[in-house]
Amino acid sequence: WLRNVGGHFEFEKRPGVKQRFYGVNLCFTGNFMSADEAEELCTRLKRVGYNAIRIHHYERQDSERSCVTNAADGRLVLDVENMDRLDYLCSRLIRKGIYLTTDLYTARRVTWKDIGETGRDGVCPFKTLVHFHSGAYSNWCAFAELFLGHRNPYTGRTYAEEPALL
């Protein structure tokens, strides 16, 4: 596991050895590539010296590719096909020694209704509200629990258990 020691990163089993991370963002459809594309990308990233990837903009329901969708009752659910693509990509990155990071909110379309405000229509300013609105915070926690609790079949670990997820 990674930890902050005196303002720099160290792995718990390598005390005193400073760690640096050099990476790129993968956004939108770049998170949901085919298995062949994932293999090729991971090989190229490793060859040029990257050791970190930010999984970004992976949860916007109205985009072509997203890891979540809305069920008929309004609940967020994981999209099976896209999560499988993301799981495979992440497993291959991990196998190459490339660490992952992500935000638990980037572009998801959260409506006023989703946070319990039934008298308003449209998308709410979620990034602001999550800090002080209990409904927004509950919505954020529900997504975090859904995503981090998902078990990657290629690694056998949930994302919460994944030591390669910084």
Side-chain angles (χ1 to χ4, degrees), residues 38-47 49-53 88-100 164:
E39 295 287 352
E40 185 176 342
L41 175 69
C42 295
T43 298
R44 287 182 181 190
L45 290 173
K46 189 66 177 181
R47 279 185 189 154
Y50 288 111
N51 66 351
I53 291 291
Y88 186 81
L89 171 63
C90 289
S91 73
R92 293 311 177 246
L93 289 164
I94 293 164
R95 183 174 283 175
K96 293 280 189 186
I98 299 173
Y99 291 88
L100 313 170

Side-chain angles (χ1 to χ4, degrees), residues 111-124 133:
T111 66
W112 287 104
K113 181 181 172 188
D114 294 334
I115 64 169
E117 298 286 337
T118 56
R120 299 172 119 169
D121 291 329
V123 175
C124 71
H133 187 283

Side-chain angles (χ1 to χ4, degrees), residues 1-2 87 90-95 98-101 147-166:
W1 289 97
L2 186 69
D87 289 339
C90 289
S91 73
R92 293 311 177 246
L93 289 164
I94 293 164
R95 183 174 283 175
I98 299 173
Y99 291 88
L100 313 170
T101 188
F147 182 77
L148 294 173
H150 169 74
R151 187 167 303 279
N152 184 330
Y154 302 103
T155 65
R157 295 179 295 272
T158 67
Y159 283 98
E161 298 166 334
E162 181 54 64
L165 180 63
L166 306 176

Side-chain angles (χ1 to χ4, degrees), residues 60-105:
R60 185 168 174 168
Q61 304 96 305
D62 64 346
S63 93
E64 179 184 330
R65 294 276 188 196
S66 174
C67 74
V68 293
T69 189
N70 289 91
D73 64 3
R75 288 178 305 112
L76 282 175
V77 294
L78 294 176
D79 181 284
V80 174
E81 179 184 341
N82 289 333
M83 276 308 298
D84 184 64
R85 288 172 176 255
L86 183 61
D87 289 339
Y88 186 81
L89 171 63
C90 289
S91 73
R92 293 311 177 246
L93 289 164
I94 293 164
R95 183 174 283 175
K96 293 280 189 186
I98 299 173
Y99 291 88
L100 313 170
T101 188
T102 192
D103 304 6
L104 292 172
Y105 177 79

Side-chain angles (χ1 to χ4, degrees), residues 1-46:
W1 289 97
L2 186 69
R3 53 189 181 168
N4 180 334
V5 178
H8 65 270
F9 292 120
E10 290 181 6
F11 290 110
E12 70 177 336
K13 293 185 179 180
R14 297 188 70 203
V17 179
K18 293 180 181 180
Q19 300 298 314
R20 299 179 96 190
F21 295 94
Y22 182 62
V24 298
N25 285 337
L26 288 181
C27 297
F28 301 108
T29 58
N31 294 303
F32 308 106
M33 56 190 70
S34 71
D36 289 343
E37 291 168 328
E39 295 287 352
E40 185 176 342
L41 175 69
C42 295
T43 298
R44 287 182 181 190
L45 290 173
K46 189 66 177 181

